[in-house]
Amino acid sequence: MKRIRNAVFGLALLFGLGSCGVNQAWILNQNQNNTQVNLGSNNFQVLGQVKGAAEVDYILIFGGKNRRSLFNEAYSAMIEEADLTSGSRTLTNILTEEHIGGIPPFYYKRTITVSGTVVEFTR
């Protein structure tokens, strides 16, 4: 009986502490702007990828920011890096990723990364 209890405890411990990270990725249309563009000809140029990240630490489930404010901070960092004010530029293919790592419930870190492609329209 003691061996079974120890085996069950060992498996529960192995299962509970076996993985210290969780990943999620969402591909969502976060940008609800309605803009019409004519893509009948090659009138655009892909400038590259931009990304922004934000993270917060939690100790005993107490921490700083919630998920929405982390997303807003990461999105703002991505917009700032994209430099949309210089030219006729837009962001497309926006991807939001979330990583949770650590040893819950004692300590864990949540990181949200938002990335996208910068496209510039030429005349």
Side-chain angles (χ1 to χ4, degrees):
M1 188 62 152
K2 189 174 183 180
R3 283 186 177 186
I4 294 173
R5 186 183 70 194
N6 286 342
V8 169
F9 179 73
L11 286 174
L13 188 64
L14 182 68
F15 179 74
L17 297 177
S19 175
C20 291
V22 177
N23 285 314
Q24 289 181 328
W26 303 297
I27 301 174
L28 302 172
N29 185 9
Q30 302 286 340
N31 193 356
Q32 298 295 326
N33 294 334
N34 187 7
T35 304
Q36 291 183 348
V37 293
N38 182 10
L39 297 178
S41 62
N42 192 7
N43 62 347
F44 64 95
Q45 178 181 6
V46 177
L47 297 180
Q49 292 285 114
V50 291
K51 71 177 181 176
E55 64 183 30
V56 66
D57 295 325
Y58 296 96
I59 298 174
L60 294 176
I61 72 169
F62 297 105
K65 305 171 191 166
N66 61 13
R67 181 183 293 163
R68 174 54 75 189
S69 62
L70 274 178
F71 171 77
N72 288 338
E73 184 180 330
Y75 191 79
S76 297
M78 180 189 65
I79 294 290
E80 186 176 321
E81 184 181 339
D83 191 26
L84 297 178
T85 59
S86 61
S88 181
R89 296 181 178 181
T90 188
L91 285 170
T92 184
N93 300 333
I94 296 174
L95 175 69
T96 303
E97 300 176 62
E98 179 178 12
H99 177 76
I100 300 172
I103 306 172
F106 306 111
Y107 167 79
Y108 63 97
K109 179 188 287 191
R110 172 178 279 151
T111 304
I112 293 184
T113 306
V114 181
S115 61
T117 305
V118 179
V119 175
E120 183 171 24
F121 293 99
T122 58
R123 295 196 164 95

